[in-house]
Amino acid sequence: MDEIWFHLSNQFEALQIQSSLIAQQGQQWVMAWLAQAQQFLSKLYNEQNMQSVKDIIQCVVIWIEKAWEQLKFQYYGANYNVRDFYMQLENLFDNEVSKRELAFCLAGLIVGTLIGYYAGINWGHLSHHMHHMKAIICHHYIGIEGVSMIDDAEMPMIEKSNEILVQVKAASVNVVDTKICYGYSKIYRRLLNYGKHKELPVVLGRDCTGIVVGIGQSVINFDIGDEVFLAVPSWAPGTMAEYIVVPETQVVKRPKLFTFEASASLPYSGCLAWDALVNRSPIQEGNAKGKRILIYGGNTPVGCVITQLAKLWGGYVVTMCTSNAIPVSRALGADNVIPLDGSDIEKELQLHDRFDAIFYTGGQPIEERVLRQHLVPYGSYISTVPEQLISDSLGFIFGSIFAGCVRVKLLVQYMFGFNMHQWKEGSKINATYLQALCDLADADQLQIVVDRVYGPHNIEQALHHILDPSAIGSTIITFQ
């Protein structure tokens, strides 16, 4: 019972605050109307043969001012007593208003307000749906079978002053997209997003390239027509759609030496590779001299980038990949390549000295123990594949506790001005990394490897292909 009264008191307090705001807005409207009326009266003073009209209107204005002052005084002093409120109105109109007339008046106000409110909502809803676009969405968390391309997805609109609207030209397919099809990061999606982005359907895609077609009022680094690329974390709205809205802090102008399709392969996998090298291994940014590096899955999108960065920074690089990818891995700079098919992996690794860092980027499964055995003391083992999220398997009770903890942390981050996107792999997606990768690509020091390009209607084939261990580099969806 106490909880019910507490809930009711909170609702009543919210009603009081809302009523106060409405009264203030009403006061501003009435005062503006009175000012216009006074201007009209001043014109009447200058006209001849209008004295009678002038006197009538002046009396009406004086009566409205008096009535407004009395209502305002009664409103701020009222205790929400219905009988007292009626008596006040009755005195105000000199006992000329009956209860029936007052009831009809109040009923009309309430009905009119509700009709206007719902009409406004429906009008806004219809206006948002006037423009539709193609999008690749996951309807159900049942796997790749729950994914399809639709033609009538709602086109996003700029809602904040720091956002930009990007017309997507191409997006890459990543392994995390296949996991999202099974519900990966669904709890974070529910907690960190707003509106329709909280639940199904989910737009797939973690990065893209495109053209800026709209900017918010406070956007200063981009203009309409700029060609850009970007990446988003697994819980954020996806990029496999004809249009996407993102904050300008997540966007960088794309490399000019490559096509839209080629550039789309770089943002997400490139950020994961950069973070793995710089933040999670003993390698310093720009300096890998004297370091021995093993990359398991050198043919994956992330593996291709790590191979090039580690070699560019002076490291000794050994990659492990399927036989068909050996020429590509060597062309990217690998000093030695170990084939994964048709060879004894443990015996092959015993032929090499131990490594300062071992990167597992996916591909054919292997026990972590086998790779760790070939690390130097205090060496680093880094996995770039999507980690299993405990939050996705929590029940109602523990899920509620987890949600409460996340919301508290979000509040603390908001109070201290931290970026809300720094959750899980969101912390690995950084515009600084994107800019560095773009500069290397434009300087012809970073090659981009694209395996296949699909249209949106072939999304199932693209998702299956990215899971193929023999795939080399990135798989792209083009919207051009």
Side-chain angles (χ1 to χ4, degrees):
M1 182 62 71
D2 292 337
E3 293 179 357
I4 294 175
W5 281 112
F6 178 76
H7 182 67
L8 290 175
S9 63
N10 286 340
Q11 287 186 335
F12 185 74
E13 183 178 356
L15 180 61
Q16 285 183 309
I17 295 173
Q18 190 173 10
S19 300
S20 177
L21 292 174
I22 293 174
Q24 292 177 7
Q25 293 175 354
Q27 181 181 5
Q28 294 175 358
W29 179 83
V30 171
M31 295 307 295
W33 184 84
L34 289 176
Q36 293 179 356
Q38 289 176 353
Q39 291 179 1
F40 179 70
L41 283 175
S42 64
K43 292 182 180 180
L44 290 179
Y45 272 113
N46 298 327
E47 299 290 339
Q48 295 180 354
N49 301 323
M50 294 295 291
Q51 186 65 34
S52 59
V53 177
K54 177 194 69 176
D55 293 337
I56 293 173
I57 296 178
Q58 188 175 15
C59 290
V60 171
V61 172
I62 293 174
W63 180 86
I64 291 175
E65 289 180 338
K66 181 179 178 182
W68 173 252
E69 292 297 329
Q70 290 183 13
L71 278 176
K72 186 169 66 172
F73 174 77
Q74 296 295 342
Y75 168 80
Y76 286 110
N79 293 319
Y80 294 93
N81 187 298
V82 177
R83 179 174 295 180
D84 290 345
F85 181 69
Y86 171 73
M87 294 297 296
Q88 291 159 7
L89 288 179
E90 194 174 38
N91 293 333
L92 176 64
F93 293 102
D94 297 328
N95 298 319
E96 293 180 0
V97 179
S98 66
K99 292 182 178 180
R100 182 177 179 179
E101 292 171 335
L102 180 60
F104 275 109
C105 178
L106 293 177
L109 288 173
I110 294 172
V111 172
T113 301
L114 292 176
I115 292 175
Y117 175 74
Y118 284 107
I121 290 179
N122 292 331
W123 178 264
H125 183 71
L126 290 173
S127 64
H128 279 293
H129 284 76
M130 287 178 63
H131 302 285
H132 296 93
M133 64 177 183
K134 293 180 182 179
I136 296 173
I137 64 172
C138 173
H139 299 273
H140 307 286
Y141 293 136
I142 58 174
I144 297 176
E145 294 76 13
V147 177
S148 66
M149 190 271 290
I150 62 175
D151 293 316
D152 58 348
E154 180 183 352
M155 180 176 169
M157 307 294 289
I158 294 176
E159 298 179 359
K160 298 179 181 179
S161 62
N162 68 329
E163 292 179 334
I164 65 175
L165 175 64
V166 177
Q167 182 184 16
V168 176
K169 294 297 184 180
S172 71
V173 184
N174 293 278
V175 173
V176 69
D177 292 310
T178 65
K179 291 184 174 294
I180 290 174
C181 297
Y182 290 94
Y184 182 82
S185 199
K186 60 184 178 182
I187 301 300
Y188 282 111
R189 190 171 300 112
R190 190 177 303 155
L191 294 173
L192 301 177
N193 291 326
Y194 62 91
K196 63 181 182 298
H197 301 301
K198 287 178 172 286
E199 303 291 346
L200 291 168
V202 177
V203 179
L204 298 183
R206 297 302 102 198
D207 55 8
C208 68
T209 55
I211 300 175
V212 177
V213 294
I215 58 176
Q217 294 180 349
S218 64
V219 174
I220 58 176
N221 296 319
F222 299 95
D223 292 316
I224 293 177
D226 286 345
E227 298 179 357
V228 298
F229 67 170
L230 60 100
V232 295
S234 60
W235 47 263
T239 60
M240 287 188 192
E242 289 185 299
Y243 295 91
I244 183 174
V245 171
V246 290
E248 69 165 327
T249 53
Q250 294 180 244
V251 182
V252 169
K253 294 180 181 179
R254 76 174 187 89
K256 295 297 184 181
L257 291 182
F258 298 95
T259 63
F260 281 106
E261 291 85 356
S263 299
S265 69
L266 192 56
Y268 188 76
S269 58
C271 283
L272 295 186
W274 191 283
D275 173 79
L277 277 168
V278 175
N279 298 328
R280 303 168 62 193
S281 80
I283 299 171
Q284 297 179 354
E285 180 177 343
N287 183 13
K289 293 180 180 179
K291 302 295 184 183
R292 293 178 52 82
I293 300 161
L294 174 65
I295 303 169
Y296 185 95
N299 56 310
T300 66
V302 176
C304 289
V305 178
I306 293 180
T307 299
Q308 296 181 79
L309 291 179
K311 188 60 183 176
L312 179 65
W313 294 347
Y316 180 85
V317 180
V318 177
T319 63
M320 304 179 71
C321 59
T322 54
S323 297
N324 66 313
I326 291 178
V328 174
S329 190
R330 290 191 182 278
L332 295 178
D335 296 287
N336 204 335
V337 182
I338 300 175
L340 289 176
D341 41 0
S343 60
D344 190 325
I345 295 177
E346 292 198 52
K347 288 184 178 180
E348 289 285 347
L349 288 175
Q350 289 174 359
L351 299 177
H352 296 267
D353 295 334
R354 293 180 180 269
F355 299 93
D356 298 281
I358 296 178
F359 297 90
Y360 175 76
T361 66
Q364 293 183 4
I366 187 173
E367 292 185 21
E368 181 179 324
R369 171 191 57 83
V370 174
L371 296 178
R372 284 187 176 274
Q373 290 176 351
H374 298 277
L375 280 172
V376 300
Y378 306 106
S380 298
Y381 176 86
I382 304 101
S383 172
T384 63
V385 300
E387 60 179 329
Q388 184 176 358
L389 300 178
I390 299 177
S391 59
D392 288 337
S393 59
L394 294 176
F396 175 76
I397 296 177
F398 290 104
S400 300
I401 296 173
F402 176 80
C405 294
V406 171
R407 289 191 174 97
V408 170
K409 188 174 181 180
L410 282 173
L411 178 61
V412 173
Q413 286 185 340
Y414 176 79
M415 292 172 61
F416 287 94
F418 290 104
N419 189 348
M420 190 192 72
H421 288 82
Q422 304 302 306
W423 286 82
K424 294 303 177 181
E425 92 273 31
S427 62
K428 305 170 187 176
I429 299 172
N430 193 308
T432 304
Y433 304 162
L434 285 176
Q435 187 61 61
L437 292 166
C438 179
D439 293 341
L440 290 175
D442 279 334
D444 202 20
Q445 294 181 314
L446 184 64
Q447 300 301 312
I448 293 176
V449 182
V450 175
D451 192 1
R452 295 187 185 180
V453 178
Y454 293 92
H457 56 283
N458 291 324
I459 181 58
E460 286 195 30
Q461 298 178 31
L463 289 170
H464 283 296
H465 182 69
I466 197 66
L467 294 175
D468 185 355
S470 62
I472 305 173
S474 298
T475 303
I476 303 298
I477 296 292
T478 179
F479 286 92
Q480 296 198 61

